[in-house]
Every structure is written in structure tokens, then in C-alpha cells.
Amino acid sequence: MKTASPEAVTAAIDARRERVNEAIATDLPIDEPDRLYEASRYILDAGGKRLRPTVSLLVAEALGEVPPLARDYRTFPTLDDATEGSNDPTGGETIDLLAAAASIEVIQSFTLVHDDIMDDDDLRRGSPAVHREYDVETAILAGDTLYAKGFEFMVQSGARPDRSVRALRTLARSCTRICEGQAMDVSFESRTDVSIPEYLRMIERKTAVLYAAAASVPAILLGADDATVEALYDYGLDVGRGFQIQDDLLDLTTPSSQLGKRRGSDLIEGKRTLITLHARERGVNVDALLANTSGGDDGDEASAVAIDAALSELEAAGSIEYARNTARSFVRSAQANLAVLPDGEARDLLGGIAEFLVERGY
Amino acid sequence: MKTASPEAVTAAIDARRERVNEAIATDLPIDEPDRLYEASRYILDAGGKRLRPTVSLLVAEALGEVPPLARDYRTFPTLDDATEGSNDPTGGETIDLLAAAASIEVIQSFTLVHDDIMDDDDLRRGSPAVHREYDVETAILAGDTLYAKGFEFMVQSGARPDRSVRALRTLARSCTRICEGQAMDVSFESRTDVSIPEYLRMIERKTAVLYAAAASVPAILLGADDATVEALYDYGLDVGRGFQIQDDLLDLTTPSSQLGKRRGSDLIEGKRTLITLHARERGVNVDALLANTSGGDDGDEASAVAIDAALSELEAAGSIEYARNTARSFVRSAQANLAVLPDGEARDLLGGIAEFLVERGY
């Protein structure tokens, strides 16, 4: 199987981000009450790569074997045979794929808004978090609004009802799992005996299920067979796992300015990551690393020095390399699942995106 | 049209609450992570009359013309003619009505958990609010979990897919409206120029749409015609408006012990209610009333005296009577909408519930 080049992947993401942003601007206008909708849009307008909806759009293009970006995503052709389709009184010839893709992004945004409150994070995407720019009350409610809009958007795809119900079930279950994953993540902070399998179960729920939904939902809505839907779900899970591990790595290695939030925040907040769990197994005194990095603030030279020292120790223990290798093995597993898709540029890009997610610098 | 007696209404609510509570215990078990599910169940287990799901169950019994409580709510017959139904490959002869009813209750619970954080309320149903019993982080996440479960439960009804999609759309739109209503309610606290029509728009969104969903969703799922669905939606809106106005009245008139939260909390928090808006229009210095009641705590004799003084002033201005009359006019409007339902005990009970909601003492 071919894998698109990093340049091609970046261009594909950029092009689709444009479409997703247009859809959000149209489908989530600043309505009454203004302040609520401004706060809801604030997180979306602050940026974001739109990786999940990009995956959705590419999956649809791959399944439909349509040339990339050539079809209007608002009237995207389903896989139904047109002559057979005429027997179907509910229609279903085309769907609003963009609404479904935006649904995933909006749900993701809701989780970021609420997570930032829970983790007491001040920055997101280089801007103040919603609860800092507004207040906690408004942020809770903005998150709740995005949550509802995610379901409204998914209904708007206009797919055949049985497919819509299945997509909505996938979305609702994903939301439940995300909450479970976030609760596990928080509970891990007060535990020193978290195992690597437990961590992997946590990131599957917290992060990977939404990638799985992003990849499988378009297949459901377009009418793909079960084996295809399941393989795409697994592709998404693996991509999401790799993505989260890379996120943990970037938190340590990327300058705050590029990261859009404080470098080393996982260490400072006592988050368990694959890196620190591995280091602990290798006998590194991870609690001491944490103690060294806590206190101080971002501009603080001492804090940056402490994080660099922690990073060196984690590198020496082989924990950085271990996390990188694990992320890469998830990428290979993700790519293998793409064999269910027809050959073509969109499939190559999905393979490339899996790689991009674990090789990206921020 | 006949209206069931208060005793019959109370008995009907009690009997159906049992069934709803059983459904919640079964469908929302304490799963992993335990603490998250315990917090999610905590608000549900703290009590609640289950008024909204009771409305849902009664609507279905009225439409189906089945004797009250005689049919298993898990396999509730739809309105489809069995011989016609056999052409429908997706089935749809019976639905899990209890899952749909529990969906509404679970969504309601999510809004209570998040509202209590936003309003900084310490008590709910006589117990500590979730963010007091646990913490704010857990309460945000428990609310988010109930939110997702609400959608999962609605999917579980197993209704014909086109009906499920319509019910899910109604649920999602209701959630959006509830957020808008809560945002309006909060924004009103810092405004002195809120008009009565604005207040009515706010309670329609914050409170009434979920009653409207409770009444109309079973009709959608069972396959009632559009006119019936719309009349039931309007019944729910009116019931919800009356319910909220009565809630505002009870906040002033019911002892804290019976209310399950601090009496006069609306005045203390500066909430706009139909009562204070009317009083302001009549020239009462409402801000002075608020100033008198703020400070002190619940056991505080001075606080109770100040609230009684405020109540007397509001009574003298005719504001209490105005609010009562407005609530009662919504009840009459609600009852008129029940004409779409077949004659019978369930319909009489729905008429009685509308009355109960504005006559109840707590």
C-alpha cells in the first residue's frame, strides 16, 4: 500500500480544514444569546487542525472513489446503486457529509472546553482557555451547547434513517467513553501504580474512540458493509492511540510558544503518560522528576531547566524511544486496516495522516 | 374533558416513578470507572418525582389506548397496524418505551448537575449537590456522562429508524434550547430591564422544551400523526411553563426543609422570576428586597424574617396572585391540547398532572 508524502498530507489537511471551517461558520452562527454562542465559537475559531473531520472526509472520498475535493461535500454520493435506490422511499442518494464531519469536530471541542476547566489549564491553542477568556459558568454551558450541536449536526447529514441511527449510536457511545477516559485520566493523577495496559485502556476511551467515530461514521452513513465499517473503526482507534502518545511526547519536547500551552504541563499536573509509566518500570524516580518541575511559571528559566533535566533522564531510561516506537507500531496497525478501502489517492492520504499524527512537531 | 383527581394523579406518578427507577438502576449500572458512575447515579438516587418520564409513559398509554400500567413498557405496542407492519423490514411492532422515558430523565439530571455548579447551589433534593458531595471536576464529568447516556437510551428504544431519528433530533434541539435558556437566566441576573416576554422566552427554553420533548417523543416513536405530535409538544410547553412559574412561587413560600434547598434562593441569587418582574412593573423596589435577603444563612432567623417581609410586599403588589393566575392559564392551555388524545384514564391523568404541577406544595 502506498502512503502519501508529508507534503501531500499537509496540503490535504489544509484544504479540508478550509471546508470544515466554512461549515462551522455557516452551521454554528452567533445566535441569541450572543455571549453563549460567542463562547461556543471561541474555541473553534482559536484554531485547530481539524484532523478528525479531515479523516472523515478522506474516508468518504476513498469509499466513494471520487477524486479528492472534486465533489461537493454537502451533496456527497452514497454507495447505493442509483437504480436500486429508487425503491427506497427515504431517499439516501446523497448526504451532507460536511455536517457529519463538523459533528465530530464540535464534539471534540466540547471535550476540550470541559477538560480545560477540569485540568485548570489556562491556555489552549495559544489563546486563553474558554473558562479564562469568559468564566467557568460560561465555559460549562458553551461545552454543553457544542455537545448538543454535535448531535444536531449528525442528524443533519440526511442519511438513510437506519444509517443515521447507527451513526448517532456510535457518537453517543463515543461520548460516554470519552467521559470514562477523562475520569480515568484524572483518577490516575492520585495513583502511583497505574500500569501500561491501564494507560492504554484510558487513552482508547479518552482519545481514540473519537478518531474511530471520525473514520467509521462516514462509512456507516454512506452505506458501506460491516467489515469496512469495523476496519475503519479500528483504523481510527489505532490512529487515536498513536496521536495521544505523540501528544504526550510533544508536551515534553515542544517549546510552549509552538505548543500553544505550557511545555511539561503533563509532568507538572502529575498526568500519567506512557513515557513516565515506562520510566517508573525502569526504576526512574518519577515522583522526584515531578517535584522538580512543579512550581514556577512558564517564563521561569528554572522551570525550563527542570523540564530539560527530566527529559534527559527519561531519554536515558529509553522511555522516550519506547513511547515513539509504540506510537509507530499503532501507525502500522492503523495502515493495515486501510486494506478494506479501494486503491487511490484518498486511501494513500489516510495512510499518510496516520504517520503524520505521530511524526508531527506540534 | 375529565381531569383526574389529585389523589389519582399522585398514585399514577408514584406507580410510574417505580418503573422509571427500576429502569435507571438497570440501564445505568455502576460501571468502571466507579467514581464517575457513582457520581452520575448520585443525583438520580437522591430522589426526584420523575414527572417528565411519567408524562411520557402516560402519553403512550393514552395513544395506545392500553389500560394504565397493564402493558410492559419494555415491549410497548406501536400504533402500526400489524398486517401493514409486516411489510416493514425494520420491524417496529413494539418499542422500549422505558428507555425513551429514562432518556428524558437522565437529560434532565445532567442539566441539574451542571446548573448547580453554575448557580453555586449547595443543596439539591435535600442532599448536597454533586459538586459538593464530590467536586466540581467530577460533577462536570458526571453531567457529561448523563448527557451521553440520554442519547444512548433514546437510541435503545428500538423504534423504526425514521422515528428514532426524529426523536433524537427533538432531543438534541431540546438540549441546545436548554443551554440557551440557562445562559439567558444567568445573564438576566445582571440586568434590571428584563421584560416579562423575555422571561417567558427564557423559561420556554430552560424548562418547557424538555416537557415538550417528554410529551411528544413517545408519540413520535409510536408512530402518531404530525398533528398529534405537535399538540402534545404544545401540551408539554405549557405544562413546562406552568411548572417553572410554580417553582418560582415555591422557592418563596415553601420551608427549606420541604423544598430540599434554601428558601428564597432565587431572591438571594438575584434570579428574575415572573413574580419579581411583575412587582417591578408595579413599582416595587425589588432591588431593596434583594438587598434585605442577601447575606445570612439558612438557619438564620433574620434571613427567614427578611424573606417573609419580601413575600408580604410581593403579595401586596398582587405579584404572587399574578404568577399563580399565569401558571393556571398555562394549565388550561395545556389541557386543551389533550383533545387530540383518545378518551380515557391516561388522558384524564395527563390533564390532572398539568394541574398538579401548578398546585403542588413542593
mmCIF file of all heavy atoms in Angstrom, chain A residues 204-228:
data_model
loop_
_atom_site.group_PDB
_atom_site.id
_atom_site.type_symbol
_atom_site.label_atom_id
_atom_site.label_comp_id
_atom_site.label_asym_id
_atom_site.label_seq_id
_atom_site.Cartn_x
_atom_site.Cartn_y
_atom_site.Cartn_z
ATOM 1 N N GLU A 204 -7.542 4.844 24.952
ATOM 2 C CA GLU A 204 -8.508 4.337 23.974
ATOM 3 C C GLU A 204 -9.831 5.078 24.153
ATOM 4 O O GLU A 204 -10.451 5.521 23.184
ATOM 5 C CB GLU A 204 -8.729 2.838 24.158
ATOM 6 C CG GLU A 204 -9.788 2.301 23.195
ATOM 7 C CD GLU A 204 -10.063 0.817 23.372
ATOM 8 O OE1 GLU A 204 -9.101 0.060 23.582
ATOM 9 O OE2 GLU A 204 -11.248 0.429 23.305
ATOM 10 N N ARG A 205 -10.260 5.223 25.426
ATOM 11 C CA ARG A 205 -11.541 5.869 25.684
ATOM 12 C C ARG A 205 -11.452 7.385 25.513
ATOM 13 O O ARG A 205 -12.287 8.000 24.867
ATOM 14 C CB ARG A 205 -12.009 5.530 27.100
ATOM 15 C CG ARG A 205 -12.274 4.043 27.239
ATOM 16 C CD ARG A 205 -12.826 3.689 28.603
ATOM 17 N NE ARG A 205 -12.830 2.241 28.757
ATOM 18 C CZ ARG A 205 -13.375 1.602 29.776
ATOM 19 N NH1 ARG A 205 -13.967 2.276 30.739
ATOM 20 N NH2 ARG A 205 -13.347 0.291 29.838
ATOM 21 N N LYS A 206 -10.435 7.951 26.119
ATOM 22 C CA LYS A 206 -10.340 9.414 26.158
ATOM 23 C C LYS A 206 -10.103 10.007 24.773
ATOM 24 O O LYS A 206 -10.637 11.061 24.440
ATOM 25 C CB LYS A 206 -9.194 9.804 27.100
ATOM 26 C CG LYS A 206 -9.038 11.296 27.317
ATOM 27 C CD LYS A 206 -7.792 11.594 28.151
ATOM 28 C CE LYS A 206 -7.279 12.976 27.859
ATOM 29 N NZ LYS A 206 -7.360 13.891 28.997
ATOM 30 N N THR A 207 -9.300 9.363 23.978
ATOM 31 C CA THR A 207 -8.861 9.962 22.712
ATOM 32 C C THR A 207 -9.234 9.143 21.486
ATOM 33 O O THR A 207 -9.705 9.686 20.485
ATOM 34 C CB THR A 207 -7.321 10.136 22.721
ATOM 35 O OG1 THR A 207 -6.955 10.863 23.883
ATOM 36 C CG2 THR A 207 -6.851 10.866 21.475
ATOM 37 N N ALA A 208 -9.024 7.817 21.562
ATOM 38 C CA ALA A 208 -9.078 7.028 20.335
ATOM 39 C C ALA A 208 -10.495 6.817 19.816
ATOM 40 O O ALA A 208 -10.714 6.779 18.606
ATOM 41 C CB ALA A 208 -8.372 5.687 20.550
ATOM 42 N N VAL A 209 -11.484 6.683 20.699
ATOM 43 C CA VAL A 209 -12.846 6.387 20.207
ATOM 44 C C VAL A 209 -13.383 7.494 19.302
ATOM 45 O O VAL A 209 -14.171 7.214 18.402
ATOM 46 C CB VAL A 209 -13.873 6.130 21.351
ATOM 47 C CG1 VAL A 209 -13.593 4.823 22.058
ATOM 48 C CG2 VAL A 209 -13.973 7.285 22.301
ATOM 49 N N LEU A 210 -12.956 8.739 19.509
ATOM 50 C CA LEU A 210 -13.487 9.801 18.650
ATOM 51 C C LEU A 210 -12.838 9.753 17.261
ATOM 52 O O LEU A 210 -13.496 10.045 16.252
ATOM 53 C CB LEU A 210 -13.338 11.184 19.285
ATOM 54 C CG LEU A 210 -14.245 12.254 18.662
ATOM 55 C CD1 LEU A 210 -15.728 11.893 18.755
ATOM 56 C CD2 LEU A 210 -14.010 13.616 19.294
ATOM 57 N N TYR A 211 -11.554 9.348 17.183
ATOM 58 C CA TYR A 211 -10.955 9.086 15.872
ATOM 59 C C TYR A 211 -11.659 7.902 15.203
ATOM 60 O O TYR A 211 -11.884 7.886 13.996
ATOM 61 C CB TYR A 211 -9.451 8.828 15.998
ATOM 62 C CG TYR A 211 -8.630 10.097 15.958
ATOM 63 C CD1 TYR A 211 -8.151 10.677 17.114
ATOM 64 C CD2 TYR A 211 -8.352 10.721 14.739
ATOM 65 C CE1 TYR A 211 -7.411 11.853 17.079
ATOM 66 C CE2 TYR A 211 -7.614 11.889 14.692
ATOM 67 C CZ TYR A 211 -7.142 12.457 15.860
ATOM 68 O OH TYR A 211 -6.427 13.619 15.820
ATOM 69 N N ALA A 212 -11.996 6.899 16.027
ATOM 70 C CA ALA A 212 -12.707 5.731 15.486
ATOM 71 C C ALA A 212 -14.067 6.146 14.926
ATOM 72 O O ALA A 212 -14.484 5.690 13.855
ATOM 73 C CB ALA A 212 -12.864 4.672 16.570
ATOM 74 N N ALA A 213 -14.750 7.030 15.637
ATOM 75 C CA ALA A 213 -16.030 7.542 15.134
ATOM 76 C C ALA A 213 -15.816 8.356 13.865
ATOM 77 O O ALA A 213 -16.565 8.215 12.891
ATOM 78 C CB ALA A 213 -16.706 8.397 16.207
ATOM 79 N N ALA A 214 -14.771 9.189 13.867
ATOM 80 C CA ALA A 214 -14.495 10.024 12.690
ATOM 81 C C ALA A 214 -14.276 9.175 11.445
ATOM 82 O O ALA A 214 -14.708 9.532 10.343
ATOM 83 C CB ALA A 214 -13.269 10.904 12.947
ATOM 84 N N ALA A 215 -13.607 8.032 11.621
ATOM 85 C CA ALA A 215 -13.299 7.183 10.469
ATOM 86 C C ALA A 215 -14.463 6.277 10.082
ATOM 87 O O ALA A 215 -14.677 6.006 8.894
ATOM 88 C CB ALA A 215 -12.063 6.336 10.772
ATOM 89 N N SER A 216 -15.235 5.808 11.059
ATOM 90 C CA SER A 216 -16.273 4.818 10.748
ATOM 91 C C SER A 216 -17.621 5.447 10.408
ATOM 92 O O SER A 216 -18.392 4.876 9.620
ATOM 93 C CB SER A 216 -16.442 3.832 11.902
ATOM 94 O OG SER A 216 -16.882 4.486 13.073
ATOM 95 N N VAL A 217 -17.921 6.606 10.978
ATOM 96 C CA VAL A 217 -19.248 7.203 10.766
ATOM 97 C C VAL A 217 -19.532 7.501 9.286
ATOM 98 O O VAL A 217 -20.626 7.194 8.799
ATOM 99 C CB VAL A 217 -19.444 8.451 11.668
ATOM 100 C CG1 VAL A 217 -20.528 9.372 11.133
ATOM 101 C CG2 VAL A 217 -19.773 8.005 13.095
ATOM 102 N N PRO A 218 -18.572 8.070 8.543
ATOM 103 C CA PRO A 218 -18.883 8.289 7.116
ATOM 104 C C PRO A 218 -19.175 6.974 6.394
ATOM 105 O O PRO A 218 -20.048 6.924 5.519
ATOM 106 C CB PRO A 218 -17.636 8.970 6.556
ATOM 107 C CG PRO A 218 -16.661 9.077 7.654
ATOM 108 C CD PRO A 218 -17.291 8.653 8.926
ATOM 109 N N ALA A 219 -18.471 5.914 6.782
ATOM 110 C CA ALA A 219 -18.730 4.610 6.155
ATOM 111 C C ALA A 219 -20.149 4.148 6.466
ATOM 112 O O ALA A 219 -20.854 3.628 5.594
ATOM 113 C CB ALA A 219 -17.703 3.588 6.633
ATOM 114 N N ILE A 220 -20.571 4.346 7.707
ATOM 115 C CA ILE A 220 -21.942 3.981 8.096
ATOM 116 C C ILE A 220 -22.944 4.786 7.274
ATOM 117 O O ILE A 220 -23.883 4.239 6.683
ATOM 118 C CB ILE A 220 -22.152 4.248 9.607
ATOM 119 C CG1 ILE A 220 -21.306 3.290 10.454
ATOM 120 C CG2 ILE A 220 -23.636 4.144 9.980
ATOM 121 C CD1 ILE A 220 -21.239 3.659 11.944
ATOM 122 N N LEU A 221 -22.753 6.095 7.226
ATOM 123 C CA LEU A 221 -23.729 6.979 6.571
ATOM 124 C C LEU A 221 -23.809 6.738 5.066
ATOM 125 O O LEU A 221 -24.868 6.899 4.457
ATOM 126 C CB LEU A 221 -23.377 8.447 6.835
ATOM 127 C CG LEU A 221 -23.448 8.908 8.296
ATOM 128 C CD1 LEU A 221 -22.974 10.361 8.410
ATOM 129 C CD2 LEU A 221 -24.866 8.771 8.860
ATOM 130 N N LEU A 222 -22.676 6.355 4.479
ATOM 131 C CA LEU A 222 -22.660 6.150 3.019
ATOM 132 C C LEU A 222 -23.149 4.760 2.637
ATOM 133 O O LEU A 222 -23.374 4.486 1.464
ATOM 134 C CB LEU A 222 -21.249 6.374 2.467
ATOM 135 C CG LEU A 222 -20.733 7.813 2.571
ATOM 136 C CD1 LEU A 222 -19.259 7.884 2.186
ATOM 137 C CD2 LEU A 222 -21.571 8.744 1.688
ATOM 138 N N GLY A 223 -23.293 3.876 3.637
ATOM 139 C CA GLY A 223 -23.820 2.546 3.335
ATOM 140 C C GLY A 223 -22.766 1.490 3.065
ATOM 141 O O GLY A 223 -23.031 0.518 2.349
ATOM 142 N N ALA A 224 -21.578 1.634 3.628
ATOM 143 C CA ALA A 224 -20.547 0.604 3.463
ATOM 144 C C ALA A 224 -20.938 -0.650 4.252
ATOM 145 O O ALA A 224 -21.769 -0.582 5.163
ATOM 146 C CB ALA A 224 -19.199 1.133 3.955
ATOM 147 N N ASP A 225 -20.320 -1.798 3.904
ATOM 148 C CA ASP A 225 -20.659 -3.037 4.621
ATOM 149 C C ASP A 225 -19.991 -3.066 5.995
ATOM 150 O O ASP A 225 -19.112 -2.264 6.289
ATOM 151 C CB ASP A 225 -20.268 -4.266 3.789
ATOM 152 C CG ASP A 225 -18.787 -4.276 3.458
ATOM 153 O OD1 ASP A 225 -17.960 -4.038 4.363
ATOM 154 O OD2 ASP A 225 -18.449 -4.494 2.282
ATOM 155 N N ASP A 226 -20.449 -4.014 6.833
ATOM 156 C CA ASP A 226 -19.989 -4.061 8.220
ATOM 157 C C ASP A 226 -18.482 -4.250 8.350
ATOM 158 O O ASP A 226 -17.849 -3.649 9.220
ATOM 159 C CB ASP A 226 -20.698 -5.195 8.979
ATOM 160 C CG ASP A 226 -22.141 -4.838 9.293
ATOM 161 O OD1 ASP A 226 -22.534 -3.679 9.033
ATOM 162 O OD2 ASP A 226 -22.871 -5.711 9.791
ATOM 163 N N ALA A 227 -17.912 -5.103 7.495
ATOM 164 C CA ALA A 227 -16.472 -5.371 7.600
ATOM 165 C C ALA A 227 -15.689 -4.080 7.363
ATOM 166 O O ALA A 227 -14.684 -3.807 8.041
ATOM 167 C CB ALA A 227 -16.063 -6.440 6.581
ATOM 168 N N THR A 228 -16.155 -3.275 6.426
ATOM 169 C CA THR A 228 -15.488 -1.998 6.132
ATOM 170 C C THR A 228 -15.624 -1.039 7.303
ATOM 171 O O THR A 228 -14.652 -0.389 7.722
ATOM 172 C CB THR A 228 -16.096 -1.375 4.856
ATOM 173 O OG1 THR A 228 -15.965 -2.318 3.788
ATOM 174 C CG2 THR A 228 -15.418 -0.078 4.494
#
